[in-house]
Amino acid sequence: MTMMAHDTALPRIIQALEGTAREIDVTFARAGSQLGEGLSLFEGLKERLSTLSAELAGDDIAQAGATLSTLAGELRAINDGLRHETGVLQELALHSKDASQALERLLEHMRLITILARSARIEAVSVQAAGRDFGDFTSEIVALTTQAQRTIQNCARDHDHLSVLLGSALEAQREFEGQYGLALSGLAGKLEQTLAEVAARQQRGVVLTSDAATHSGKIAMAAGGAIIALQSGDSIRQQLEHAIKALRLLSAVAAGTGPGAGLDDAARRGADIVLRRLEAAQLQESAQTLAQDADSIEAALALLAGDTAGLLDLVRSLYQGDGAKSGSFLADLEADLAEASDLLAKCDRARAGVDRVTAALSTVLETCQQTVAALAGTVSSIVLIGMNAGLRAARLGPGGRSLVVIAQELKVAADHVAGDAAQLTPTFAQMQQASGGLKQGGRLDAAHFAALTDAMGTSLAAMRGAGDRLGSALDQLTREGGGFASVVAQARLSFSNAGAMSDLIASGAAELERSCDAAAMPDDPAAAAAVRELIDGQVWPNYTMVGERTIHQAVVASLLPAAGGVAAPVTVAAPAQDDVDDFLF
C-alpha cells in the first residue's frame, strides 16, 4: 500500500483520538471529583455510626433496661399478689360467716334472757317476803340484759356492714384479677422479651463495631486504590496526545511539508512505516492500559458500593424495628413502656375501689372487736346476777320455787351467751390478723401502682429522648449513606463507556498496523539515517513516561538497525521527572 491510500483515514483516526483524549480527561476528572465527595460523605457515615453506637450504649438505654427489669419482676409477681389478696378476702369471708352465725345465736339468747328477766320481775312481785330486794334485783337484770342486747345489736349492725364490705371487696378483687391479672402477666413477659432484645442488640452492637471497622477499612482501601487508579487518566491522555502529535507528523511527511519537507521518496516511505508501526504500538499499549485501569476502577467502585450497602444493612438491622412497625427498635421499646404505663394507670384506678373497701374493712373490724370486748363484761355480769338470783330464790322455800327455775334458765342462757361471745373474740382476732395481709408494705395498693406509673413516666420520657436522638442519627446516616451510594453509582456510570474508549483506541492502533502490514523498509542507508534523524528529533523528545520510551526503542530498533546490525543507542536525555513517572505509572 502507498501513503496516498491512507490520506483520508489518518485525519479520521486523529480526530477520533482527540475526542477520546478529551473524554478520558473529563471522565477521570469527574470520577475523581465524585469519589472525593464520596469519601467526605463516608467520613460523615463513620461519625454517624459512632453516634449511634454511643447512643445504644448510653445511660438512658441502660437505665431503661434496669427499669424494664424491675417492672417485669413487679408485674410477674402481681398474679401471686392477686391470688394472695383474694385468698385473704376469702378467709375473711369465712370468718365473717362464723361470726354472723354466732351473733345470730347471741341475739336469740339475749331475747330469751330478756323474757326470763321480765318473768323473774313479775314472779318477784308475787313473793311477799323481800319483794323489794327481788324487784331491785330483777330490775338490774333487765337493765343489764337491755344493755347487752343493745351491744350485740350494735355488733351485729357493724358486722352486717362488714359483710357487705367483704362481699364488695371480694367481688372487686375478682373482677380486677380477671380483667388485669393476665394482662399484667402477659405484659411482664413482653417486657422481659424486650429487655432480652435490648441486651441482644447491645451485644450485636459490639459485633457491629468490629464489622463496621472491617467494612470501613475495605472501603478506605478501595477508595484509595480507585484514586490512585484515577491518576492514570492523565498519563493515558498524555500518551494519546503524544500519539496524535506523531500522527500529525505522519501527515506532514506524507504531504512533504514541515519537518518532512526535505525527505526523498525512500525516506518518506520509511518514515511512514516507522511512524505507523510506532504509533500503532503506542496506541495498543494505551488501549490496554485504559482497559486495565478501567477494570480496576470499576472493581474498586463496585467494592465501595457493595461494602457501603452492607454497612448500612448492618446498621439498619441493628437499630431499626421490624419493617414498617417502627423506624427504630427504641420506638418499639417506647411503645412497650407506654403500654405498661397505661395499663398501670388503669390498675391504679381499678385498685382505688378495692383499697377503699379494705380501708373501711379494717375500721369495722376494730369496731367489732371493741363491741365483743364490751359484750364480754356485760355477759359476765348477767351470769353473776343469774347465780345470785338462784341462791336467793332457793332460800325462800316453796314460794320461791318459780324464781329458782327462772334463775336456773337465766344462768343457762347466760352461759350460752358467754360461750358464743367467747367464740366471737378469736374469730374477730383471726379476721384482724388476716386483714394484716391487706396492709403489708409493697402490696398492690394505689400508692404502689402510682410509684410504678411514675417510674414508667420517667423512663418513657428518657426513652422518647433517646429514641428521637437515635432516630435523627439514623435518618442522617441513611441520607448520607444514600448520598455516598449515589456518588459511587455516578462514578461507576462515568466509567460505563471506558471500555468503548479503549476499543476505539485499539481499533485506531489496528488500522494503523494494517495500513503498513505489507510495506517493507527501504534498503537505502541514507534514507534510514534520515528517518532516524527525523524520529529522534521530532518524536522522542515528546515522551514523558518510561513506558513510551521503551516501546519507542523496541519498534525503532526493529525497523532501523544501526550499521552492522546493532541498534544505535538513543542519546536524548530523559526528563528529570521519569523516576516519579516510573513510580506512579
Side-chain angles (χ1 to χ4, degrees), residues 45 153 156 171 207 225 324 327 366 546 553:
L45 279 178
Q153 287 172 343
E171 181 181 358
V207 177
E366 292 178 1
V546 171
Q553 290 173 330

Side-chain angles (χ1 to χ4, degrees), residues 315-379:
V315 173
R316 290 191 188 97
S317 68
L318 178 61
Y319 295 101
Q320 285 185 325
D322 299 328
K325 182 181 178 183
S326 63
S328 163
F329 84 95
L330 282 185
D332 298 337
L333 177 57
E334 181 183 333
D336 289 344
L337 291 176
E339 181 183 353
S341 181
D342 179 64
L343 185 55
L344 288 176
K346 291 178 180 177
C347 290
D348 187 3
R349 291 191 293 271
R351 289 295 303 187
V354 178
D355 292 338
R356 285 193 296 271
V357 171
T358 53
L361 179 63
S362 178
T363 302
V364 173
L365 275 173
E366 292 178 1
T367 302
C368 286
Q369 280 188 307
Q370 293 170 2
T371 302
V372 171
L375 179 62
T378 303
V379 169

Side-chain angles (χ1 to χ4, degrees), residues 137-268:
F137 203 61
T138 54
S139 294
E140 186 177 356
I141 292 176
V142 171
L144 286 173
T145 301
T146 302
Q147 179 183 350
Q149 189 171 14
R150 186 180 301 113
T151 300
I152 294 172
Q153 287 172 343
N154 290 338
C155 184
R157 184 182 61 249
D158 291 341
H159 181 265
D160 287 341
H161 185 202
L162 174 64
S163 297
V164 172
L165 288 176
L166 271 174
S168 176
L170 189 55
E171 181 181 358
Q173 180 75 6
R174 285 171 174 167
E175 181 180 357
F176 177 83
E177 185 176 0
Q179 186 171 0
Y180 295 108
L182 291 179
L184 289 169
S185 179
L187 180 59
K190 187 175 183 181
L191 291 178
E192 287 171 345
Q193 182 179 358
T194 303
L195 181 61
E197 177 66 12
V198 171
R201 287 181 188 272
Q202 288 175 324
Q203 182 62 37
R204 286 164 56 194
V206 174
V207 177
L208 173 65
T209 302
S210 175
D211 289 345
T214 301
H215 279 278
S216 297
K218 292 174 66 177
I219 290 172
M221 290 184 63
I227 289 176
I228 292 176
L230 284 170
Q231 295 175 359
S232 67
D234 185 61
S235 66
I236 295 173
R237 176 188 54 79
Q238 290 183 50
Q239 291 173 11
L240 290 180
E241 289 176 350
H242 300 159
I244 291 170
K245 190 171 183 179
L247 292 177
R248 292 189 185 280
L249 174 62
L250 176 59
S251 296
V253 168
T257 59
L263 298 177
D264 58 21
D265 289 341
R268 283 203 304 274

Side-chain angles (χ1 to χ4, degrees), residues 273-288:
I273 294 172
V274 170
L275 286 173
R276 288 178 186 277
R277 292 191 180 278
L278 178 59
E279 297 317 313
Q282 296 286 11
L283 289 175
Q284 186 60 44
E285 176 64 20
S286 296
Q288 185 177 354

Side-chain angles (χ1 to χ4, degrees), residues 120 134 137 141 382-397 400-411:
F134 271 103
F137 203 61
I141 292 176
I382 293 174
V383 172
L384 181 60
I385 291 173
M387 291 175 61
N388 290 334
L391 291 174
R392 290 188 183 186
R395 290 197 294 267
L396 293 178
R401 186 175 299 167
S402 297
L403 281 174
V404 172
V405 174
I406 292 173
Q408 289 176 346
E409 292 180 356
L410 186 62
K411 181 181 180 302

Side-chain angles (χ1 to χ4, degrees), residues 497-575:
N497 64 339
M501 290 188 290
S502 174
D503 292 342
L504 192 150
I505 297 172
S507 67
E511 190 167 353
L512 287 172
E513 186 68 33
R514 285 194 303 272
S515 67
C516 61
D517 188 43
M521 289 293 294
D523 295 332
D524 185 356
V531 171
R532 177 176 291 281
E533 182 180 359
L534 176 70
I535 297 300
D536 289 345
Q538 298 297 322
V539 178
W540 177 266
N542 295 326
Y543 297 137
T544 56
M545 287 161 279
V546 171
E548 292 177 304
R549 290 190 285 272
T550 300
I551 294 172
H552 179 99
Q553 290 173 330
V555 173
V556 170
S558 67
L559 296 176
L560 297 172
V566 181
V570 178
T571 58
V572 180

